[in-house]
Amino acid sequence: MWERTLQDLIRGLRANKNDETKFIGQAMDEIRREIKSKDMALKAGAVMKLTYLDMLGYDMSWASFHIVEVMSSPKIHIKSVGYLGAVQSFNEDTDVLMLTTNLLKKDLSSTPADIAVTLNGVSSIMTADLARDLSPELVGMLNHSRPHIRKRAVAAMYRVFQKYPDALRHGIGRLQEKLEDSDPGVVCATVNVLCELARRDPQDYLPLAPQLFHLLTTSSNNWMLIKIVKLFGSLSPHEPRLVKKLQPPITDLISTTSAISLLYECVHTCIIGNMLQGTTGDSLARTCVSKLAAFIEDPDQNLKYIALLAMVKIVPTHPYLVAEHQDTILSSVDDEDISIRMRALDLLSALVNRDNLQSIVQQVLSHLVKPESSAIPSAVQSLSQHIIPSAPAKSPGAPSQSTAYRLVLSQRIMTMCSQNTYDNVTDFEWYLSVLVDLAYVSNVDIGAQIRDQLVDVVGRVRAARSYAVKLMVKVLSDDTFLLHAGEQGSCSEVLWAAAWICGEYCGELSAPDELIPYLLQPEIASLRPDITAVCIQSAAKLFGYWASEAAKQWTESFLEDLKKAVDIMIEQMEQFASSTQIEVQERAANVLQLLIFIKHDVAMYKPKQENGFSDSSAAAFDPVLEPSFPKSLYLIQPLFSSHELNPVASIAQASVPVPDGLDLDAWIVPSMQDRVTEEGDDGDVIERKVKKSKKGKEKESASRTKVKSGKKKQKEGGYQEELAQQEEETAEEKAERERLKAERLERMRDDPYYIMDDRSQKPPAEDVDLIPVVRLDGPLPLPKEEPRLPGLRSSASIRSAPPSFVVEREGEMPAGAVITPQPLTPVPSSRRQTPNLFDVTATPPPSLPSFQSYEVPDDELRTSTPEPIKVTRAKKKGTGTAKKKRTVKPEMKAGDEGTVVIH
């Protein structure tokens, strides 16, 4: 009977591409019949076809028992097919593996051909049980007379050590002997096994160092040298004496070898093996860096990648050597391969310091600038390109046009500048300009990070605030961000930072009133609600500062300008008060009411006469000294400038001590199970005691009864009786109900989300005699100056020398905070845990700082943590109207202006 062979199966698959499933179904039926045959050759052919189909994704685990039958054949060509099928389909869960133990032992004691086939197969199907049972036979195979058997046995021992670690105690000695085997193939296999084993526990293989060093200095096999060098890279961190011993031979290999793979492994071993330390290590480090720089210039992309990866690991110990090749590294930032560009950015981030930060950032920033459209080539250029064919020219800056890569570039620029709390930045005015430029040219969604950086820098570095305000004025006056606010990558969040900085530090502005129209222009309403809300808040700050400056320099000529400015502000604020966004609407409504109050006060203001009063009797009667300007000019500024924003330490919140007697797990509001509050449609509140004796629906109906105010007929007798009982309330119950209603209405009056209707209420009669007569202290006496425009500052900010930027790196801590540093107990070198190879070699990626320090001028430096704000509330005595008085503590130190006591 004619049967299909493996070749026939392959030809049939190629001929039936349109109906492959049907053909394979027929072939599987034939295989099932063949594999059950007693003819071992036919059975082996079926296993070969199943092995091929298994590679195409069809399961062959159902034939595992038949595969064991083929493995037991005495013929070597059939046995090889059986072991091939076992390697292809067997795993640790295969149930027939327990039947193969005696078969494998028998084959390991057979002819050399059977032993070779068995060793090849057993390495792939090894389990814990097989490793335990076969370890004596495999250890014995290490002393076989044939080299190829010894080499296969060494490789199989690695799988035994993996599955059955206890065999390592008995087999490591025999494995060590193979390092001196006469056959180089056996030695190479032994080095490979030891290299893999040493990755898990390197210190256990330190006794092998002398033999490995001998092989390093005598062998000429590059592949074995690579493994030996790798092995020494794992051993040298655990034995410092190896470093000095290995430096000469590895230096000789780096200088003489022509094999690039061996050269890189030697350089990598020098890095991870701590061989670049000390005086002798400097010359070796210079050699390694020069070799890696040559790799970067090589056209082979793989060499560029591994060179950049290795240089990142050299930077922490020898940054000055890597900095010599800065231009070569920067050229890789614009490489076509994205992986090479990313590794170049990693290297630049690790290489940056105070001296080269500006040059590196400027060159990286230039990659974000989109190139101008190239001009149309001339006829001569087009003709020359057709006559002399060449590779298509690479458009400049093409790799930088990827959105993902542009995002990484932008983030790396800010990471390099802000790492370690701006430790590498020497000129913060330059960095502020870089952030603004980044917002214009990045074209990616990085506006939130730029906003945070701008606010953080200005808050930390006082000397940069003047320049920052000028820069933010230019940003607000430019309509680029407004026009492209809805587009992706517009970085419109920069407007948030610009508005906040100009409002918070409006004292740096020479004419704050000129900036208000930019903050309240109608296009602002189309921005995100948080940006619009900050613009409204900053406009209120600017107006408050301008009004207070106008009060200090008040002349009667300012009155008309003030009225006009208030009217314009009210008109602009009304458009935001009707916004659909609750945050914008609330802020605009609050500011609008303040402006309306100022408008009425300015309208009622009458210029003061020369003597101050119309007659002497009026002056004697009025105890209050009236200022020469409208009082409402000082209404807004104290709302925002009473306390300065001070830096806060990153651990301040966690360091707040819990007061004595405060239980953070207890409920703030006590349980309301004993009292049930019922509210009717007319606002009446009825409180009842819930009796525990009631059960079921009777209890529920008693606790949920509602009182309605309409004239509706009640059909249920029980409900009518309850209404009758409620109508016959006593005077005490009525008084209690009125008291509860008054308390509820008072709570609702303070609730901004509850609209109260007070039209029906009659205003209470005021007793004029109860109004206290007090003396209001007017503003401080103003120096006599020439009248000028309100809010203008002198141009004192013009400097002849650059400012000295100081970044405060320690923030304020709460009062009573106790910081207990965790003790660091050094671990003896002999008892230290084995470090992970990747922990030794990997350089931690730079991260954004924790933003925990701010800059303070020299005249306001604090020697200690400032006193906290203490609030003492006076007890109410009688019905008097005691007013809060704010007094500054007499023991305040310089810089503690924010510490006050309220009585």
Side-chain angles (χ1 to χ4, degrees), residues 254 263-277 281-296 306-325 329 343 346-352 840-844:
I254 293 175
L263 175 60
Y264 174 75
E265 289 300 335
C266 291
V267 172
H268 189 259
T269 299
C270 292
I271 299 171
I272 66 175
N274 300 326
M275 299 181 187
L276 305 182
Q277 309 295 332
D282 290 339
S283 59
L284 180 58
R286 186 174 294 277
T287 303
C288 293
V289 172
S290 62
K291 295 292 184 180
L292 293 176
F295 284 179
I296 297 177
I306 61 175
L308 293 171
L309 203 62
M311 274 194 173
V312 171
K313 302 170 185 176
I314 298 181
V315 168
T317 57
H318 298 80
Y320 56 93
L321 295 178
V322 181
E324 296 177 358
H325 307 279
I329 298 170
R343 298 291 77 79
D346 292 339
L347 181 55
L348 289 175
S349 301
L351 185 63
V352 71
V840 177
T841 60
T843 301

Side-chain angles (χ1 to χ4, degrees), residues 9 67 99 125-126 187 264 328 347 350 376 387 395 478 530-531 736 820-821 826 851 902:
L9 177 65
I67 293 175
L99 305 177
I125 63 175
M126 187 70 68
V187 177
Y264 174 75
T328 305
L347 181 55
I376 301 176
I387 295 176
S395 60
D478 187 6
D530 58 334
I531 302 176
E736 179 68 12
T820 56
F851 302 152
I902 301 177

Side-chain angles (χ1 to χ4, degrees), residues 370-444:
K370 290 185 177 181
E372 298 180 359
S373 59
S374 58
I376 301 176
S378 62
V380 177
Q381 294 175 346
S382 301
L383 185 60
S384 62
Q385 290 178 0
H386 286 285
I387 295 176
I388 305 175
S390 60
K394 172 189 168 184
S395 60
S400 301
Q401 304 311 315
S402 171
T403 302
Y405 182 62
R406 296 177 69 86
L407 178 61
V408 172
L409 277 180
S410 305
Q411 291 174 341
R412 288 302 176 91
I413 289 175
M414 291 191 292
T415 300
M416 288 187 290
C417 295
S418 61
Q419 62 184 355
N420 298 328
T421 320
Y422 312 104
D423 187 40
N424 295 324
V425 180
T426 56
D427 187 356
F428 281 91
E429 293 183 357
W430 165 83
Y431 183 44
L432 291 172
S433 302
V434 168
L435 290 175
V436 174
D437 293 342
L438 197 59
Y440 277 102
V441 303
S442 63
N443 290 328
V444 290

